[in-house]
Amino acid sequence: MTDYGAWIIGFALVYTALLVLAGQIARKRTSKSGGYFVGGRTFNKWIVCFCITGLFSGSTFIAVLEMAYLKGISAIWYGVAETIQILIIALVIIGPFRKKMLVTVSGLIGDKYGRSAKALAGAITAFAFPMWSVATAIGFASALHVFTGISLSLSVAFTALLLFVYLQAGGMWSIAFTQTMNAIVFVIMFAIGVIAFFINPGVDGLRQLAAEQPQMFDWDNAGLQVIVAWFGTFFVNVILAQAAFQMALSCKTPEEGQKGLKLAAIFGIPFTVLAILFGLSAAAVIPDGKMGLLALPQYLMQVLPAPLVGLFFLGIWACALGWGAPCQFSGATSLGRDTGSALFPSADEKRLVTYTKWSLLILTVLMILFGMLRTEQSAWWNIMAWTIRNSATFAPVVAALFWPQVTRSAVLASLATGFLSGLSWYALGGWDVSKFYMNIHPVWIGMSVNVVTITLVTLLASLGSWKFRKVSESPAHYASLAAGIALAVVLLLNSEALHNKGLTGLVMFASLIGFFIAVIGVLDTNKPASAQTDAVAAS
């Protein structure tokens, strides 16, 4: 083991002890406020800000750094898309959801459509979250592997076990304490990274990189398909960002939550800008690497002493924990609180907390297993998680919020068909990380089937009772219908060009969304909404 590895492990062990202590303090805070799942809804704007910054900006830092090393400044669009997502959640979503006292997205589906829907949505959602946790934990594990020789799988397992130890003690308050501590570590990491940049390569080094690899300074070097997919994925995720909702909705008031999210959007800007700077610096000094997260430690070893490198990678680990902790806890909440209450409807709050703690253990085991299965490709786990969760829950969440006529059977059918179609499409492409079947990302197929299923089943359930609203009654929905038709025409007339650019799936899904919105607003039925009747009957 090198001196660098010893310093990294030393800092990690000290930080681990602090996190475990924070978990014990959080346990007392939870018992006082009685808020294991949402912190007693007592968070102020700064706690919300630190929680959301640790969740989104920490993971964005790792993703952008990796992409900047490979593709240069075009990685900035990932950060822009993430920032827009946070602002939309702040301005549009957080107020109505806070008034509904929402805890999870799967709980929202279950409250509207009954126990079967809650059980299925909770299980699918829970299964996806350890995949996201693994994807970010691999960032720290890669550096630790370079310095110490410790395997990636063992590093991921250590991260998973640490998350379990302190999360099960204090729940949402554990996350609040951890994200606040992570914020301090982030500042230290940024300062050290800037020092490394001015030592080598400096501004002159970036000029030389621009001369030798001008494509690294092209705004579209990442590829149009990839950039559009970033924006599309984050936009869709606005109503599905359960881990973010659970933290932001722990606020005292909707206004306090909105302020915290807006602050987080501002705080996230340095994460994107500095990740690009550090990625370009590594590319200038270590030009032949295949992965940014492996080249970065090699670069820092050339310019900084071991203690500073150790502190920098403590920040990388804080990024992994800042993403992994909310993911693991929110997944456990879906499995323990939502699926648990669906299977055992008489369970009280104390019993649901126990179920959630057991669910944390289950997700910890899954995270370790996932880390052993495919540790070398963090992007693969992200794709898998997006496909599983979004393909199943997108249309049911939209229906729960905006379409009261949707039936319980339609929701169950869309959950199942979306989940299975997304996975099947990924399998047809050989589970490849970038080469998808027919050049269409599986998440677009899964969500498209999800939308079509819930629409058709709902329409057929009330066949003969539907009537059209006048254009004057729903002008926006008729405009959506026109947009859906226009996008369908674009898809038909430009199929080959869209296929070559990898945009077929996105345009198809966007067209279907146009039709979906139109159906919600243009059609009306004389029959009473059967969804609520089904939900009551099921509960």
Side-chain angles (χ1 to χ4, degrees), residues 402-403 467-470 473-474 477-478 515-524:
F402 303 111
W403 198 9
K467 63 178 182 179
F468 287 92
R469 292 190 177 98
K470 296 178 181 179
E473 294 177 325
S474 301
H477 295 94
Y478 274 98
F515 292 123
F516 188 39
I517 295 173
V519 169
I520 292 173
V522 170
L523 292 179
D524 195 8

Side-chain angles (χ1 to χ4, degrees), residues 443-523:
V443 77
W444 304 128
I445 295 297
M447 289 196 297
S448 295
V449 172
N450 188 235
V451 167
V452 170
T453 300
I454 203 169
T455 303
L456 291 179
V457 175
T458 298
L459 293 179
L460 291 174
S462 301
L463 195 63
S465 66
W466 292 97
K467 63 178 182 179
F468 287 92
R469 292 190 177 98
K470 296 178 181 179
V471 176
S472 58
E473 294 177 325
S474 301
H477 295 94
Y478 274 98
S480 179
L481 176 61
I485 294 172
L487 286 169
V489 172
V490 169
L491 183 61
L492 291 173
L493 297 181
N494 301 275
S495 57
E496 184 175 354
L498 292 172
H499 171 78
N500 292 336
K501 293 182 178 295
L503 297 175
T504 300
L506 177 58
V507 175
M508 176 187 67
F509 177 69
S511 176
L512 288 173
I513 288 299
F515 292 123
F516 188 39
I517 295 173
V519 169
I520 292 173
V522 170
L523 292 179

Side-chain angles (χ1 to χ4, degrees), residues 2 10 19 55 96 115 131 159 173 181 186 244 281 291 301 337 343-345 358 369 390 393 396 415 454 466 527 535:
T2 65
L19 290 177
L55 173 70
R115 286 164 47 198
M131 299 179 186
T159 303
W173 274 110
M181 293 169 62
F186 292 151
S281 299
M291 292 179 59
M301 286 171 65
R337 184 179 185 274
L343 297 177
F344 306 100
W358 279 106
L369 289 176
N390 289 19
T393 59
L415 283 168
I454 203 169
W466 292 97
K527 290 186 177 182

Side-chain angles (χ1 to χ4, degrees), residues 52-133:
I52 298 299
T53 300
L55 173 70
F56 284 133
S57 298
S59 63
T60 293
F61 179 81
I62 291 178
V64 172
L65 193 154
E66 176 72 28
M67 184 61 67
Y69 177 80
L70 299 173
K71 299 295 182 179
I73 65 171
S74 60
I76 195 172
W77 298 116
Y78 187 100
V80 172
E82 178 254 346
T83 301
I84 292 174
Q85 174 193 232
I86 294 175
L87 290 174
I88 293 175
I89 292 174
L91 298 173
V92 180
I93 302 295
I94 200 69
F97 276 20
R98 177 63 174 81
K99 291 176 183 178
K100 290 177 179 289
M101 304 299 281
L102 183 75
V103 177
T104 61
V105 168
S106 50
L108 171 67
I109 295 172
D111 292 342
K112 187 77 173 179
Y113 301 110
R115 286 164 47 198
S116 298
K118 180 186 284 189
L120 184 56
I124 292 173
T125 301
F127 187 65
F129 273 114
M131 299 179 186
W132 278 308
S133 301

